[in-house]
Amino acid sequence: MLKAVILIGGPQKGTRFRPLSFEVPKPLFPVAGVPMIQHHIEACAQVPEMQEILLIGFYQPDEPLTRFLEAAQQEFNLPIRHQPHPFLLLGTTANRTQSLNYGCIVENPQTHEVLHYVEKPSTFVSDIINCGIYLFSPEALKPLRDVFQRNQQDGQLEDSSGLWPGAGTIRLEQDVFSALAGQGQIYVHLTDGIWSQIKSAGSALYASRLYLSQYQLTHPERLAKHAPGGPRIRGNVYIHPTAKVAPSAVEHTCVLHSIVGWGSTVGRWARVEGTPNDPNPNDPRAHMDSESLFKDGKLLPAITILGCRVRIPAEVLILNSIVLPHKELSRSFTNQIIL
């Protein structure tokens, strides 16, 4: 039976995605108009003989996630289950600096065997990075069992009370991949397709742009089309079914390289703008940097993010800033986090 497992983390992880994840679970945040997890489910559902999809993470079965899973099961006619508890690797390439932010793979170029694996090394190891997508055979369960049993034994030695926090934890990359590399058990498949890691809130904008360009081939029906008497459409645009754009709309307000949260308002003649941080568009293997938001104690220029229900008054500038939810601003801000 062929099954797919999708790791979705939990609300206490992925803090760099805030404030966008305050109001909606990160897996349900829309990328190119649909929940990001739906892109994964759609891809898995196209695999022949796929029998079941498992979502593994630490989200409680809250109402939005439950509703989404129920609708997805109906749409794709597949059992899709969320497990609240948590070997072929998919890889791509990055430049030398970016690779330090990922799991790095040293491969045998002839056989594609993984010879060495290091998670976020301190020095350059390889420009082949882990995409976080794996294909396991049933034999892969034995190393997982061995690591689990070893951690249990180590936990008993460390803490006689049995409450040692690492006893029931398996770090797949550090505990399994690093240990099995070079033993003929792990291989890597290099993809030259689009791949984007959505760690920070700003990276969701870049991922949406990638997916919107893909929609030309995969889902052209999702792209807005110019119609006589309707608004002018430039480029790859997704308009939510609940959104209404007046044919006579005039651009009194400018929003560039920004994410505007649900229920937010931007006044007339205001300007909400960020600094685009897309990688080199001429390099098909370029990826987003996963660097800190700060350098030398200052917020680095990046896209502007407005949390939900933020009110921006007329005739102000919000540049390279992050605004937390439920804020009503009264003046302009540049390169700041408004708490």
Side-chain angles (χ1 to χ4, degrees):
M1 176 182 289
L2 188 60
K3 298 184 180 183
V5 177
I6 303 176
L7 308 180
I8 61 173
Q12 301 306 316
K13 303 294 184 181
T15 54
R16 282 178 287 179
F17 200 71
R18 297 173 180 169
L20 300 180
S21 55
F22 283 149
E23 296 294 318
V24 63
K26 181 181 176 182
L28 299 184
F29 185 83
V31 169
V34 300
M36 67 172 72
I37 192 66
Q38 182 170 329
H39 294 293
H40 300 78
I41 293 174
E42 286 180 349
C44 292
Q46 294 176 16
V47 176
E49 301 182 14
M50 179 63 66
Q51 299 295 317
E52 187 177 32
I53 298 176
L54 303 175
L55 306 184
I56 296 182
F58 294 94
Y59 286 95
Q60 296 300 317
D62 59 0
E63 187 175 352
L65 185 59
T66 301
R67 285 203 309 266
F68 169 78
L69 294 180
E70 291 173 349
Q73 290 187 93
Q74 296 281 339
E75 179 178 355
F76 298 104
N77 195 28
L78 269 176
I80 303 175
R81 296 191 293 120
H82 172 226
Q83 297 290 338
H85 309 291
F87 260 85
L88 175 70
L89 282 69
L90 185 68
T92 187
T93 57
N95 64 40
R96 294 176 66 97
T97 301
Q98 289 175 327
S99 66
L100 303 181
N101 299 311
Y102 302 94
C104 293
I105 301 167
V106 178
E107 70 157 350
N108 181 320
Q110 282 73 44
T111 65
H112 303 294
E113 178 192 350
V114 176
L115 302 177
H116 187 54
Y117 184 93
V118 183
E119 185 68 18
K120 297 180 181 177
S122 56
T123 59
F124 177 74
V125 172
S126 169
D127 63 353
I128 302 176
I129 61 173
N130 178 8
C131 288
I133 299 176
Y134 317 118
L135 177 63
F136 287 167
S137 66
E139 289 75 21
L141 297 178
K142 183 179 183 301
L144 294 175
R145 181 198 64 192
D146 295 342
V147 170
F148 180 79
Q149 292 177 344
R150 184 171 66 250
N151 287 350
Q152 290 284 328
Q153 294 172 356
D154 292 344
Q156 292 175 0
L157 294 175
E158 292 280 344
D159 184 0
S160 59
S161 67
L163 299 178
W164 183 60
T169 302
I170 298 177
R171 301 172 303 171
L172 191 61
E173 292 84 358
Q174 294 95 325
D175 294 340
V176 179
F177 295 161
S178 296
L180 295 182
Q183 299 185 26
Q185 299 189 53
I186 308 180
Y187 293 81
V188 60
H189 172 73
L190 276 177
T191 178
D192 56 1
I194 66 169
W195 180 85
S196 179
Q197 185 183 59
I198 306 180
K199 284 289 188 183
S200 64
S203 59
L205 196 65
Y206 174 60
S208 288
R209 186 173 295 125
L210 287 177
Y211 260 106
L212 287 171
S213 65
Q214 287 290 105
Y215 279 176
Q216 292 281 2
L217 298 174
T218 59
H219 291 286
E221 74 282 358
R222 292 179 181 172
L223 293 175
K225 296 177 176 60
H226 178 70
R232 180 179 296 179
I233 304 296
R234 294 180 179 176
N236 300 315
V237 176
Y238 173 86
I239 300 178
H240 195 273
T242 63
K244 304 298 181 184
V245 182
S248 59
V250 179
E251 296 180 3
H252 287 304
T253 297
C254 182
V255 179
L256 293 172
H257 311 298
S258 303
I259 295 177
V260 179
W262 294 269
S264 295
T265 59
V266 181
R268 290 166 63 93
W269 303 111
R271 189 177 185 93
V272 177
E273 185 175 355
T275 299
N277 56 357
D278 292 5
N280 181 1
N282 299 316
D283 181 359
R285 297 193 176 210
H287 302 299
M288 292 286 293
D289 286 317
S290 297
E291 297 179 352
S292 171
L293 288 172
F294 296 92
K295 185 175 182 180
D296 299 328
K298 297 181 180 179
L299 183 67
L300 293 171
I303 77 164
T304 288
I305 299 170
L306 307 184
C308 69
R309 289 177 281 281
V310 169
R311 296 180 62 85
I312 305 297
E315 302 180 9
V316 302
L317 168 67
I318 307 299
L319 176 65
N320 300 332
S321 297
I322 298 174
V323 185
L324 268 64
H326 308 285
K327 299 298 176 185
E328 185 166 353
L329 307 186
S330 59
R331 61 180 179 86
S332 297
F333 290 92
T334 301
N335 287 79
Q336 294 191 44
I337 296 179
I338 296 95
L339 302 177

